[in-house]
Amino acid sequence: MSDLNSRKRVEWPARAVVTAGMPYGNKPLHFGHIGGVFVPADAFARFLRDRIGAENVRFVSGTDCFGSPINEGYRKLVEAGEFSGTIADYVLANHERQKATLEAFQVSLDIYEGSGIGHAGDVHQMITDQFIERLHESGHLKLDSTLQFYDAEADTFLNGRQVQGRCPVQGCKSEHAYADECDLGHQYAPVDLIKPVSTLTGTVPEMRPVENWYFDLPGFEDFLKAHVEQLRADPEVRPVVVKAIEEFLAPPVIFVKNEHLDEYEALADSLPPHRFREAEKGKQSFEIEFSDIEARDAARAVLAAAGIRFRTSKTLVPFRITGNIEWGVAAPVIDDVEGLTVWCWPESLWAPISFTITVNDERGLPRTSWRDFWCSDDARVYQFIGQDNLYFYGVAQPALWEALRPGGLFEEGPDSQMRQTTLIANHHMLFGKKKASSSGAVKPPTGEQLLEHYTPEQLRAHFLALGLDQKSVGFSPKPFDPDEAKRDDPRYADPVLKEGALLTNVFNRLARSCFYEAGKNFDGCMPLGLVTSEVRRRAFEALLDYEERMHKVELHRVMSLCDEFIRWSNKWWADGIKRAEEADDAAARRQVLVDSFYLLRVACLLMHPIVPAGCEKICDYMSFDFADFFSWNYDFDSNEELCPAMEIDAGAHRIHELPPRFDFFRKHESQYK
């Protein structure tokens, strides 16, 4: 693109990893998993393959095979007589269903296995052992005795999802709080959970001591403060990332209801040193701030013994590494401590490394080649996540990575030291106006249910246009409208089809016009030659703008650009062919087709990450090689650069004949009724 040299280009890494989180293996994928994480990650990974070469990209994810939600889901199905296999069978069945859904949505993962499935599971166990042993050798793990919920009636310790109550974190209104984490991602000590109830028996559980390994997350406060300042200085880091991390870097605070002020004053001298702040105007609680987490926890015990109700702030607390449930990745035996499993959250943070190694193993690459993607200065890892998970990816993960310095994961020196990742955090995708959850009252439609009403490409285009990088946005598919009267009322448009109309109408029209004109007046050939200068200028401008928006992963702005470019291209064709026909000008007819096929090629390159199947179909009918057609390594001066010399000399390129009334982008069958 020689004319673009005067404009500064964005820089891309030589290699990249793209991750898309890990869905729990206890349920199918709903619209939030697909539209909020997987489709955006897939569009970006597909772009990177086109931009830097498929061999330089690893798009990885898999089923999270462990964790208390899986134990609880399995238990309930077995008790109801709806499942008779093992818990491993249960996870594998859900994994296969998730994998099929992702394939149906054209999500092009290099691997979708699981943290406990096949070769990926074996590699993940190895990486888990390495991580925990290295953390221990570096002095960042501590064995601590903490209290865990115990159901005396059922005579068993309870896993995280077998206890429900209210979140104790100040300002959080979640009624779906579990043992030590609420559904909004807040972390707290189990003893602080408000009004806990066992889901097994409905009784109030006891607290009994257990021993587990904890990572010294508070010890990395200074590192995290410097890290968040670096993020703040980067204009491409989404504000929600910085805001979420900062919330956990505040000093530990206890919030006490104003009604307990006299009781607090009576025992204030028995608390560790602290700062008292009166309740602000209109607030119902005063604050007690401590210098560190140990002082706060000592004060918490005193307040609890006095019967004073309180809530705690977000702050850095020791990060639990192991747990006591049987179904989990085995923890290595350290200091003769046996029988522990790894809590699902820490091992899910390093699972993408396991998946990268697994992919490289399958491709016959050296085991150490994972470092080319995770450790090299010319590589970058992009992690697509929901905003609720920013504590884990934005706070715990950076500290864990830093804790392995020096020496890296396998003690192989600086070449084995992971670089910090780039977090692409999306806001909530609401169902209508409400946050939907598989475990909540508002049940979200699954991926399979959506595909009964829409094509994958209609949904992909709509998901990417929502602008989840900016704010929480409602997803309102008409067939799932709670108001039954609106579902069949033609006066109400389906918002999901807005972007689909660009595909099925405008993009289709541009492609078909080019092919039918070539078949009718150019002997089934695409004429070759220089494109009009205005067309080249418009295409170059679109390509540059597109790259800049992709670099910021502003996918809704990418969609807006594509919409504008395709509509402009379609108008260029319509106006140009009309003038040529009115003037009966054969040369003008030929030039407008040269221009329009060129615009079609550029449109396909831009839309390929978004709606790959239709764009690849256009490429196939244009008789070009996919690797060339979707590569950015051309000058984009004309379509001649894709053709052999013999065709250039002949001034034409043979294309496939397009059948009558052919659609590159079809509507869903239900939409033709």
Side-chain angles (χ1 to χ4, degrees), residues 402-423:
E402 179 68 13
L404 298 187
R405 293 183 182 275
L409 181 54
F410 292 97
E411 294 188 274
E412 297 170 347
D415 288 345
S416 189
Q417 181 64 52
M418 284 93 69
R419 301 181 72 243
Q420 294 296 340
T421 67
T422 299
L423 300 182

Side-chain angles (χ1 to χ4, degrees), residues 146-149 163 168 178-181 187-194 196 207 214 300 320:
T146 57
L147 297 176
Q148 183 171 326
F149 289 108
V163 183
Y178 307 107
D180 54 7
E181 172 193 4
Q187 305 291 298
Y188 43 82
V191 70
D192 289 339
L193 181 65
I194 299 172
M207 302 298 295
Y214 285 81
R300 198 178 61 189
R320 182 159 63 94

Side-chain angles (χ1 to χ4, degrees), residues 174-439:
S174 174
E175 299 288 339
H176 296 284
Y178 307 107
D180 54 7
E181 172 193 4
C182 79
D183 62 343
L184 297 179
H186 298 142
Q187 305 291 298
Y188 43 82
V191 70
D192 289 339
L193 181 65
I194 299 172
K195 294 185 177 180
V197 174
S198 167
T199 62
L200 298 186
T201 62
T203 60
V204 177
E206 302 174 3
M207 302 298 295
R208 296 191 179 182
V210 293
E211 282 193 326
N212 274 299
W213 290 106
Y214 285 81
F215 170 63
D216 180 21
L217 186 57
F220 287 83
E221 180 179 359
D222 290 342
F223 161 75
L224 288 170
K225 286 181 176 178
H227 177 62
V228 80
E229 287 306 315
Q230 290 180 339
L231 297 179
R232 192 196 315 278
D234 187 341
E236 294 192 357
V237 173
R238 296 178 178 177
V240 67
V241 174
V242 174
K243 181 176 182 294
I245 297 174
E246 280 186 320
E247 289 177 348
F248 290 94
L249 300 181
V253 172
I254 289 177
F255 299 87
V256 183
K257 290 280 190 180
N258 294 331
E259 62 198 61
H260 294 295
L261 180 59
D262 292 341
E263 297 163 80
Y264 155 75
E265 290 177 341
L267 53 76
D269 291 341
S270 63
L271 298 177
H274 61 275
R275 176 183 298 175
F276 169 81
R277 281 194 290 269
E278 293 183 354
E280 296 179 4
K281 185 176 181 179
K283 299 288 185 179
Q284 298 180 347
S285 301
F286 59 88
E287 301 178 10
I288 317 171
E289 181 183 307
F290 298 88
S291 59
D292 54 46
I293 192 68
E294 289 79 10
R296 189 204 70 173
D297 287 347
R300 198 178 61 189
V302 174
L303 295 172
I308 297 177
R309 291 178 55 194
F310 60 86
R311 286 196 169 196
T312 54
S313 66
K314 297 178 184 179
T315 192
L316 295 179
V317 298
F319 186 60
R320 182 159 63 94
I321 297 295
T322 63
N324 307 89
I325 62 175
E326 182 178 349
W327 178 247
V329 177
V333 177
I334 299 176
D335 293 347
D336 298 324
V337 179
E338 301 179 339
L340 298 180
T341 53
V342 183
W343 185 35
C344 65
W345 260 113
E347 50 99 352
S348 70
L349 296 178
W350 54 72
I353 300 174
S354 306
F355 293 146
T356 304
I357 292 174
T358 303
V359 171
N360 290 351
D361 284 353
E362 292 173 350
R363 299 184 182 186
L365 298 173
R367 178 55 65 86
T368 56
S369 62
W370 74 277
R371 300 183 317 209
D372 296 336
F373 292 88
W374 284 86
C375 307
S376 297
D377 289 339
D378 60 356
R380 198 167 179 183
V381 178
Y382 302 89
Q383 298 196 282
F384 285 73
I385 60 174
Q387 69 176 86
D388 287 350
N389 296 332
L390 275 168
Y391 168 77
F392 300 103
Y393 289 94
V395 179
Q397 178 178 284
L400 285 168
W401 269 221
E402 179 68 13
L404 298 187
R405 293 183 182 275
L409 181 54
F410 292 97
E411 294 188 274
E412 297 170 347
D415 288 345
S416 189
Q417 181 64 52
M418 284 93 69
R419 301 181 72 243
Q420 294 296 340
T421 67
T422 299
L423 300 182
I424 314 297
N426 278 340
H427 291 266
H428 297 300
M429 183 184 292
L430 308 176
F431 185 44
K433 296 181 179 180
K434 299 180 179 179
K435 183 182 178 185
S437 169
S438 300
S439 58

Side-chain angles (χ1 to χ4, degrees), residues 420-576:
Q420 294 296 340
T421 67
T422 299
L423 300 182
I424 314 297
N426 278 340
H427 291 266
H428 297 300
M429 183 184 292
L430 308 176
F431 185 44
K433 296 181 179 180
K434 299 180 179 179
K435 183 182 178 185
S437 169
S438 300
S439 58
V442 181
K443 300 296 181 184
T446 64
E448 295 102 315
Q449 290 172 325
L450 290 175
L451 292 176
E452 294 174 3
H453 302 275
Y454 306 98
T455 67
E457 295 192 318
Q458 286 175 326
L459 288 164
R460 286 175 65 97
H462 181 65
F463 288 145
L464 295 176
L466 288 177
L468 293 172
D469 62 305
Q470 302 289 312
K471 60 182 180 180
S472 296
V473 181
F475 174 61
S476 304
K478 188 177 178 181
F480 296 90
D481 195 309
D483 186 343
E484 294 186 20
K486 291 183 179 179
R487 294 179 198 167
D488 298 321
D489 191 334
R491 293 176 299 174
Y492 292 95
D494 189 340
V496 177
L497 296 180
K498 177 179 180 291
E499 292 75 25
L502 174 70
L503 306 176
T504 58
N505 295 341
V506 190
F507 203 0
N508 251 341
R509 188 182 308 126
L510 174 64
R512 288 188 303 200
S513 298
C514 290
F515 281 99
Y516 289 142
E517 173 66 15
K520 179 180 178 182
N521 294 310
F522 291 87
D523 193 28
C525 291
M526 177 181 72
L528 300 177
L530 293 177
V531 298
T532 305
S533 59
E534 173 62 12
V535 167
R536 288 177 68 251
R537 185 198 66 78
R538 189 69 181 235
F540 289 169
E541 185 178 87
L543 288 164
L544 268 184
D545 289 346
Y546 182 97
E547 263 203 305
E548 290 176 355
R549 295 178 189 188
M550 268 295 186
H551 201 264
K552 296 178 180 179
V553 201
E554 295 177 339
L555 299 177
H556 68 293
R557 296 187 67 220
V558 167
M559 276 298 303
S560 177
L561 181 150
C562 290
D563 184 293
E564 182 180 352
F565 182 77
I566 291 171
R567 293 183 188 279
W568 185 90
S569 301
N570 191 69
K571 189 174 188 303
W572 182 271
W573 156 261
D575 292 348

Side-chain angles (χ1 to χ4, degrees), residues 42 46-47 49-50 106 108 457 460 507 511 515 600-601 603-627 629-631 656 662-665:
D42 180 66
R46 285 180 180 274
F47 165 75
R49 291 190 188 112
D50 292 345
Q106 302 171 16
S108 59
E457 295 192 318
R460 286 175 65 97
F507 203 0
F515 281 99
L600 180 61
R601 171 201 173 186
C604 285
L605 181 68
L606 301 181
M607 291 293 286
H608 185 230
I610 300 162
V611 284
C615 292
E616 289 171 6
K617 195 178 297 182
I618 293 173
C619 172
D620 187 43
Y621 271 87
M622 288 178 73
S623 296
F624 286 125
D625 179 79
F626 282 10
F629 191 79
F630 294 112
S631 172
H656 290 298
F662 185 83
D663 284 323
F664 290 100
F665 302 96

